[in-house]
Amino acid sequence: MERVDIAIIGSGPAGVSAAITARLRGKSLLLFGSKELSEKIGKAHTIQNYPGLPAVSGEDLRAAFQNHLDTMGIQVTEARVNAVYAMGDYFAVQTANETYEATAVILATGVVQGKPLPGEEEFLGRGVSYCATCDAPLYRGKAVAVIGSSPAAEPEAAYMAEVAGSVLYLPLYDGAPDLPATVQVLREKPTAVTGEVTVTTLHTDGGEYPVDGVFLLRDAMAPTQLVPGLEGKGGHVAVNARMETNLPGCFACGDAVGLPYQYVKAAGEGNVAALSAVEYLAARKRNTKE
Amino acid sequence: MVHEVHKNDLTQALAADVAVLDFNATWCNPCKMLAPVLESASQDLEGKALFYGIDVDENLALAQQFGISSIPALVVLKKGQPVARQVGFMPKPTLMQWLNGVL
Ligand SMILES: Cc1cc2nc3c(=O)[nH]c(=O)nc-3n(C[C@H](O)[C@H](O)[C@H](O)COP(=O)(O)OP(=O)(O)OC[C@H]3O[C@@H](n4cnc5c(N)ncnc54)[C@H](O)[C@@H]3O)c2cc1C
């Protein structure tokens, strides 16, 4: 696959703005996100503080963003990014079906609601995992719990059931999960993970379950989980005024980097991130020529 | 370079002053991404540490012995004793910082 100049992750105001500026500067790019661009745009009733668009509805602002992308020939790649690996001279951007390559990356993923489960961080790698397809074979014959935040987690739970001794599935959404009969569906809210050296127990509002592993399959990953090695600060990505993160070539903008959560701030920062990425690409080119 | 371990045979690594064990599998994407980073780290640290790649499918007994429950997992051994471990992909600078702190 051909390597693009810039991969932009997230199609809210920050990502859209970054894509527009990157394209104006003649960079090749990938914009990852969704058809509706961002739930947070369409859902807003009236927006009073977007310059030039007084009292615009969320739906109209979304349509205006889409129109702007269309006129510039920018397509949204409708895919969820699962991981971004800093390989040194490039980034590997991984989705469920493909791995893309980009020289620079702009994170515009918005904020993730919800705190980690008590014990989650403590037992990460010692019974807590975010990737069933990665770690399932290590749980051959063992008891595991899978916590799914949307139906997208169901195939991973089904795969788990082929390998593990027993699988408890806790859906954090309504509707009947489509799972093999060997999976026991538990309509309870997880409250904590405890253990000794490794995980021993999943606690819920309904009881305690002895397990060897707990798989947390969330739709929205915190950027610091998405990009191993990325530095965070108080639940956000740590950046400087140029929107640079601690990883060279990786930039971040919008709600992902901190308060206030505002459309114009997100769009403004997306512009800065794109210009910094353009500069980074130019500096790299100079260095490889020398 | 990273030496491959076969048939659960860790004799060489246990005898080394410093050994870095990389537990991985062919179906694990982050493991695949970490491999070239480790290869490059092993070259930088030549003479200071020996590196061993351990496929957990082929060497399940070793994975169990070291209590590996997520991969990729790195375990540093000093004279055969585990002194540090890390789970997950790391970019080169992060990996080097961690290894230099441990070695
Ligand atoms: C109801 C409501 C009303 C609001 N009203 C106002 C207002 O009047 N004025 C104002 O200034 N602000 C308002 N806000 C705040 C505003 O919505 C946010 O500040 C803004 O949307 C942030 O933009 P962003 O681009 O940083 O992130 P977002 O808009 O959250 O966009 C992030 C996008 O990235 C995608 N994404 C995340 N992770 C991944 C991944 N791993 N792979 C692929 N895609 C990914 C998400 O699906 C999403 O589409 C309002 C918010 C809400 C919810």
Side-chain angles (χ1 to χ4, degrees):
Chain A
M1 177 158 301
E2 209 177 304
R3 189 174 296 178
V4 297
D5 293 325
I6 307 176
I8 299 163
I9 300 160
S11 54
V16 166
S17 165
I20 291 168
T21 295
R23 178 52 53 88
L24 278 173
R25 291 306 190 93
K27 299 301 163 199
S28 61
L29 63 93
L30 283 163
L31 175 59
F32 293 94
S34 59
K35 215 191 286 180
E36 77 258 31
L37 299 182
S38 160
E39 274 202 350
K40 289 196 179 160
I41 310 180
K43 270 189 187 162
H45 183 61
T46 327
I47 300 149
Q48 312 270 12
N49 61 349
Y50 205 92
L53 301 169
V56 67
S57 74
E59 194 35 58
D60 286 350
L61 184 63
R62 198 204 70 80
F65 280 169
Q66 185 61 58
N67 185 37
H68 201 155
L69 290 176
D70 291 345
T71 56
M72 299 194 66
I74 301 169
Q75 269 175 8
V76 175
T77 304
E78 282 179 59
R80 184 141 287 275
V81 172
N82 295 325
V84 177
Y85 301 112
M87 302 304 294
D89 55 345
Y90 75 98
F91 292 86
V93 178
Q94 203 173 286
T95 65
N97 302 317
E98 239 165 307
T99 303
Y100 300 86
E101 293 186 4
T103 309
V105 163
I106 295 177
L107 303 168
T109 52
V111 268
V112 187
Q113 303 297 343
K115 290 204 174 82
L117 202 60
E120 172 180 339
E121 280 159 346
E122 190 189 341
F123 288 103
L124 185 60
R126 294 189 292 128
V128 170
S129 169
Y130 300 127
C131 180
T133 47
C134 295
D135 294 338
L138 298 168
Y139 289 86
R140 204 171 296 276
K142 296 192 173 175
V144 304
V146 179
I147 301 170
S149 68
S150 84
E154 289 167 20
E156 289 202 55
Y159 170 63
M160 199 77 222
E162 289 173 23
V163 182
S166 69
V167 177
L168 283 174
Y169 185 70
L170 292 85
L172 303 180
Y173 52 91
D174 298 327
D178 179 18
L179 287 167
T182 46
V183 176
Q184 189 192 340
V185 177
L186 201 60
R187 287 248 163 235
E188 292 173 14
K189 195 175 157 294
T191 52
V193 179
T194 57
E196 283 152 29
V197 177
T198 59
V199 167
T200 58
T201 315
L202 174 71
H203 302 255
T204 73
D205 56 359
E208 287 180 12
Y209 300 88
V211 292
D212 303 299
V214 175
F215 287 79
L216 290 152
L217 308 179
R218 296 197 180 97
D219 276 355
M221 270 206 257
T224 45
Q225 266 172 38
L226 195 66
V227 191
L230 185 69
E231 242 168 55
K233 194 178 166 206
H236 295 108
V237 182
V239 288
N240 62 16
R242 291 162 47 83
M243 301 291 125
E244 292 167 323
T245 69
N246 67 310
L247 300 173
C250 179
F251 306 84
C253 51
D255 285 3
V257 304
L259 291 161
Y261 299 152
Q262 293 278 289
Y263 296 114
V264 164
K265 175 213 173 245
E269 288 176 350
N271 168 265
V272 176
L275 291 174
S276 295
V278 168
E279 230 173 87
Y280 170 81
L281 292 166
R284 269 184 51 108
K285 219 177 199 166
R286 280 196 301 275
N287 287 342
T288 46
K289 267 199 200 126
E290 274 162 15
Chain B
M1 69 176 277
V2 179
H3 309 271
E4 266 182 53
V5 168
H6 296 292
K7 300 197 172 107
N8 294 301
D9 179 7
L10 210 57
T11 322
Q12 263 191 44
L14 291 172
D17 276 343
V18 182
V20 180
L21 312 181
D22 165 36
F23 290 89
N24 62 66
T26 50
W27 34 260
C28 154
N29 265 318
C31 302
K32 270 186 245 168
M33 306 312 297
L34 185 61
V37 179
L38 269 180
E39 182 62 43
S40 150
S42 75
Q43 286 164 17
D44 291 3
L45 293 172
E46 210 180 323
K48 287 189 186 152
L50 292 168
F51 285 69
Y52 296 88
I54 303 175
D55 183 311
V56 296
D57 283 325
E58 197 198 323
N59 303 282
L60 194 60
L62 283 181
Q64 283 167 349
Q65 184 189 327
F66 283 90
I68 303 300
S69 65
S70 270
I71 51 173
L74 298 180
V75 177
V76 178
L77 301 180
K78 279 191 181 168
K79 299 208 190 300
Q81 289 304 312
V83 293
R85 62 166 69 205
Q86 272 282 352
V87 168
F89 177 88
M90 280 181 277
K92 176 96 186 282
T94 318
L95 174 68
M96 292 309 291
Q97 201 182 358
W98 178 66
L99 284 174
N100 284 323
V102 174
L103 300 187

